[in-house]
Amino acid sequence: MIKTDIVIGEILDPAVCATIRAQMERGERNLTWLEEHWPDLLPQARGKFVAVASQEGHVADSATEAWAWAKSTHAEDDGAIVQYVRPETGPRFYANRGKMA
């Protein structure tokens, strides 16, 4: 069993806060790019991983390959994202299989 410690704290240093805020903004720009470019990535991305860094997308066969592309192509973008794309199309159905009280 792997034991990990979780530390929760408050960051008050304005420089650290600015760095974190800038990284989050880069991530938001990449998410916005992905939302706007889904039609360009589908259907070839189904069942694969999509990486977005510096508002550029890449389709990869694995998450490791997607992260490697992001780091090698856009090393300066610490707001890169990787997302798995479901192979199926259409709605998803969820059901409760347990007994209801």
Side-chain angles (χ1 to χ4, degrees), residues 23-35:
Q23 180 182 15
M24 291 174 64
E25 288 170 0
R26 286 187 288 277
E28 286 293 324
R29 283 195 298 271
N30 286 325
L31 282 172
T32 300
W33 184 93
L34 182 58
E35 290 172 5

Side-chain angles (χ1 to χ4, degrees), residues 23-90:
Q23 180 182 15
M24 291 174 64
E25 288 170 0
R26 286 187 288 277
E28 286 293 324
R29 283 195 298 271
N30 286 325
L31 282 172
T32 300
W33 184 93
L34 182 58
E35 290 172 5
E36 294 170 355
H37 289 86
W38 271 120
D40 303 332
L41 298 169
L42 296 176
Q44 67 270 20
R46 292 218 172 270
K48 298 186 180 204
F49 292 82
V50 172
V52 180
S54 296
Q55 294 84 58
E56 181 182 350
H58 175 75
V59 177
D61 290 325
S62 70
T64 303
E65 181 185 324
W67 281 116
W69 172 86
K71 289 176 184 174
S72 68
T73 308
H74 298 287
E76 76 289 349
D77 188 354
D78 61 355
I81 59 170
V82 171
Q83 184 171 334
Y84 178 71
V85 182
R86 294 183 321 125
E88 318 82 41
T89 60

